[in-house]
Amino acid sequence: MQPPLTAEYAFDEDTRVTRVSDGGYTATLTDRWHALGGTPNGGYLLAVCLQALRGELPFPDPLVVSATYLRRPAPGPVQLASEIIRIGRRVGTGEVRLTQADKEIVRATATFTDLTAAEGPTQIDNAPPDLPDPEDAIDPMADASLPDVTIVDRFDFRYGTVPGWWRGQPEQDLTAEFWLRFRDGRPADPFTLPLMVDAAAPAVLDLPTFGSATIELTVHVRGRPAPGWVACRATTRHLRDGFHEEDFEIWDRDGQLVAQSRQLAVLP
Amino acid sequence: MQPPLTAEYAFDEDTRVTRVSDGGYTATLTDRWHALGGTPNGGYLLAVCLQALRGELPFPDPLVVSATYLRRPAPGPVQLASEIIRIGRRVGTGEVRLTQADKEIVRATATFTDLTAAEGPTQIDNAPPDLPDPEDAIDPMADASLPDVTIVDRFDFRYGTVPGWWRGQPEQDLTAEFWLRFRDGRPADPFTLPLMVDAAAPAVLDLPTFGSATIELTVHVRGRPAPGWVACRATTRHLRDGFHEEDFEIWDRDGQLVAQSRQLAVLP
């Protein structure tokens, strides 16, 4: 068991929840995790939701979380109502409703487990992204400024090949691979991974398009990541009539898959 | 709008719900959809849940549904409590709790839309399974009998290559492609697809293993299928310490992707 992290990192400060009643929590969304469009990122909302379940379930790690996005949030206070659905021997499941000004913003269901207690066979028919070492890779933010998209200030990104849209030359290539880490040194863990799968620009920007709205996001946490950079792969293979999935994988520096997510989103 | 289907097909008979209160429904799970292990299949439970939302939401098609499986069900009566979470301009979201003897079996969240009203760009970076015509493909059930797995009697399956485990020679090949249709002629539609993505043997049987328990299943319905057989692709790429995803695609006879699903499951 790792020692609890103090709130020295932006992630921990900005996802902190306060228990105010039986299953009831309050939190404050900050303006430091804004996605394209200038509102708090969906993965950030999910990370806040998980904090409101963490103390309710007797297992340390989120295993699978599914969130439906109902309305756009704004920075400021939110309320969270968490419910224990079932606690079993190996897993426990709960639900969280995140509301703002009495409007429900996100509803999330999450199943927790102890990932270090998982036992069984392993077979991986996939490989981590083939990227140059982070120190030899391209920092797309080196000469860029995205003042409304504050989430890019929370992370370091390193690409082997910068996406076409970033260079003003979209190529309809809906796969992107890159390194990712928190800029302030926050280690990745099972609670940060559900934010990290949604932290980068969507792969569909290379269509081009100006963004995409998440309807539903499901994250599988598959392991506790080793320290350091994580390698990410974002892919959209099926865009139909404006609706598309985005699949996201996160691999740690030891070459282990630590998270896999899929979202259904719609172009504006 | 298609005419409503009468309950002449097993699917419609066995997923029929009766509204007994505001958002409250009853239904009866039959023994005709048993999976490996001899209990009602998870996709069947999800299909019943969707019937309890169908009358509550003003949109005709499920678009994305996420279900968490909490306990094993048995054939017999169940209760369903449905809740409208939000109705928007293009989509509406609700939740269903399916209980049996006061124990919650499944909790599902679903967002509905009108798929025929979807507008926007299309780009598919994938292809349907490359299968021989159904009439030239292999029926694995031709000489087989699986008396406890009644769901195989509800469907016709046709493979280009029969999985190794089926021939008693598992090959650790965790991808399977095959044709699928209801044996009684029930056309596939957006309400049957969430059952069909879970109707076949899991790809991990080729490890070999004797089954796998679904923890969470998310289905994206991407279009209304054309009549006839649908082509399916089931894949597991990441089995780690007994936990694995299964990805499932369904393509219709016109070569359109009509459903995509992912589940997180655990080996026994």
Side-chain angles (χ1 to χ4, degrees):
Chain A
M1 192 78 87
Q2 292 180 332
L5 290 157
T6 56
E8 60 184 306
Y9 301 114
F11 176 85
D12 302 286
E13 284 181 14
D14 294 359
T15 62
R16 192 192 303 133
V17 298
T18 304
R19 199 170 198 268
V20 293
S21 65
D22 192 19
Y25 292 81
T26 58
T28 301
L29 302 181
T30 75
D31 62 4
R32 298 201 285 182
W33 308 87
H34 281 3
L36 280 173
T39 54
N41 168 267
Y44 170 46
L45 297 175
L46 182 51
V48 175
C49 287
L50 289 174
Q51 295 298 325
L53 272 180
R54 174 174 213 170
E56 308 285 329
L57 292 169
F59 298 98
D61 302 304
L63 170 66
V64 49
V65 302
S66 167
T68 302
Y69 294 89
L70 302 158
R71 294 178 176 87
R72 277 181 181 277
V78 293
Q79 290 73 45
L80 300 106
S82 64
E83 173 202 353
I84 298 172
I85 300 175
R86 176 168 193 246
I87 295 175
R89 191 171 51 85
R90 292 174 60 180
V91 298
T93 301
E95 181 178 272
V96 183
R97 304 172 187 206
L98 184 150
T99 60
Q100 192 167 47
D102 293 329
K103 302 274 194 195
E104 190 168 348
I105 306 294
V106 181
R107 183 168 301 199
T109 306
T111 296
F112 280 51
T113 193
D114 181 350
L115 287 169
T116 63
E119 280 181 33
T122 293
Q123 178 176 319
I124 306 291
D125 296 333
N126 192 10
D130 184 16
L131 290 165
D133 284 338
E135 43 278 21
D136 300 325
I138 301 164
D139 177 3
M141 295 303 297
D143 302 310
S145 170
L146 287 169
D148 296 332
V149 188
T150 56
I151 195 169
V152 300
D153 300 325
R154 305 282 85 73
F155 290 99
D156 291 323
F157 301 87
R158 294 290 185 277
Y159 284 78
T161 307
V162 174
W165 63 268
W166 187 267
R167 295 177 272 110
Q169 296 172 320
E171 293 167 333
Q172 295 80 51
D173 177 4
L174 307 190
T175 298
E177 298 182 343
F178 49 90
W179 295 106
L180 183 68
R181 68 176 179 192
F182 283 101
R183 188 168 292 172
D184 66 4
R186 172 63 159 90
D189 71 14
F191 287 88
T192 68
L193 293 171
L195 163 57
M196 296 172 88
V197 297
D198 196 42
V204 289
L205 292 195
D206 210 41
L207 283 172
T209 181
F210 293 110
S212 186
T214 304
I215 298 171
E216 194 268 352
L217 168 63
T218 299
V219 187
H220 300 180
V221 178
R222 304 297 293 276
R224 296 186 184 173
W229 292 92
V230 293
C232 301
R233 178 182 287 130
T235 314
T236 289
R237 294 189 304 154
H238 311 96
L239 167 68
R240 184 172 175 191
D241 301 331
F243 288 102
H244 65 91
E245 94 283 11
E246 175 164 293
D247 287 352
F248 204 96
E249 299 165 12
I250 299 184
W251 301 75
D252 72 7
R253 292 247 26 198
D254 293 342
Q256 299 293 320
L257 181 82
V258 293
Q260 188 178 23
S261 73
R262 175 173 288 167
Q263 60 178 269
L264 184 73
V266 62
L267 299 185
Chain B
M1 190 79 85
Q2 292 179 332
L5 290 157
T6 55
E8 60 184 305
Y9 300 114
F11 176 85
D12 302 287
E13 285 182 14
D14 293 0
T15 62
R16 193 191 303 133
V17 297
T18 304
R19 198 169 199 269
V20 293
S21 65
D22 191 19
Y25 292 81
T26 58
T28 301
L29 303 181
T30 75
D31 61 4
R32 299 200 285 182
W33 307 87
H34 280 4
L36 281 173
T39 55
N41 168 268
Y44 170 47
L45 297 175
L46 183 51
V48 175
C49 288
L50 290 173
Q51 295 298 326
L53 272 180
R54 170 174 217 171
E56 307 286 329
L57 292 169
F59 297 98
D61 303 304
L63 169 67
V64 49
V65 302
S66 168
T68 301
Y69 294 89
L70 302 159
R71 293 179 177 86
R72 277 182 181 276
V78 294
Q79 291 72 46
L80 299 106
S82 64
E83 173 203 352
I84 298 172
I85 301 176
R86 177 168 193 246
I87 294 175
R89 190 171 52 84
R90 292 174 59 181
V91 298
T93 300
E95 181 177 273
V96 183
R97 303 171 187 207
L98 185 151
T99 59
Q100 191 167 48
D102 293 329
K103 301 275 193 192
E104 190 167 347
I105 306 293
V106 182
R107 183 168 301 198
T109 306
T111 296
F112 280 50
T113 194
D114 181 350
L115 286 169
T116 63
E119 280 181 34
T122 293
Q123 178 177 319
I124 306 292
D125 296 333
N126 192 10
D130 184 15
L131 290 165
D133 285 339
E135 44 277 22
D136 299 326
I138 301 164
D139 177 3
M141 295 303 297
D143 302 309
S145 170
L146 287 169
D148 296 332
V149 188
T150 55
I151 194 169
V152 301
D153 300 325
R154 304 282 87 72
F155 290 98
D156 291 323
F157 301 88
R158 295 290 185 277
Y159 286 78
T161 307
V162 174
W165 62 268
W166 187 267
R167 294 178 272 108
Q169 296 172 321
E171 293 167 333
Q172 295 82 50
D173 177 4
L174 306 190
T175 298
E177 298 183 343
F178 49 91
W179 295 106
L180 184 67
R181 70 176 178 193
F182 283 100
R183 188 169 292 173
D184 67 3
R186 172 64 159 88
D189 71 14
F191 286 89
T192 68
L193 293 171
L195 164 57
M196 296 172 88
V197 297
D198 197 42
V204 288
L205 292 196
D206 210 42
L207 284 171
T209 181
F210 293 109
S212 186
T214 304
I215 298 171
E216 194 268 351
L217 169 64
T218 299
V219 187
H220 300 180
V221 178
R222 304 297 292 276
R224 296 185 184 173
W229 292 92
V230 293
C232 301
R233 178 182 287 130
T235 314
T236 290
R237 294 189 303 154
H238 311 96
L239 167 68
R240 184 172 175 191
D241 301 330
F243 288 103
H244 66 91
E245 93 284 12
E246 176 165 292
D247 286 353
F248 204 96
E249 300 165 11
I250 299 184
W251 302 76
D252 72 8
R253 290 242 37 192
D254 293 343
Q256 300 291 321
L257 181 82
V258 292
Q260 188 177 23
S261 73
R262 175 172 288 167
Q263 60 178 268
L264 184 73
V266 62
L267 300 186

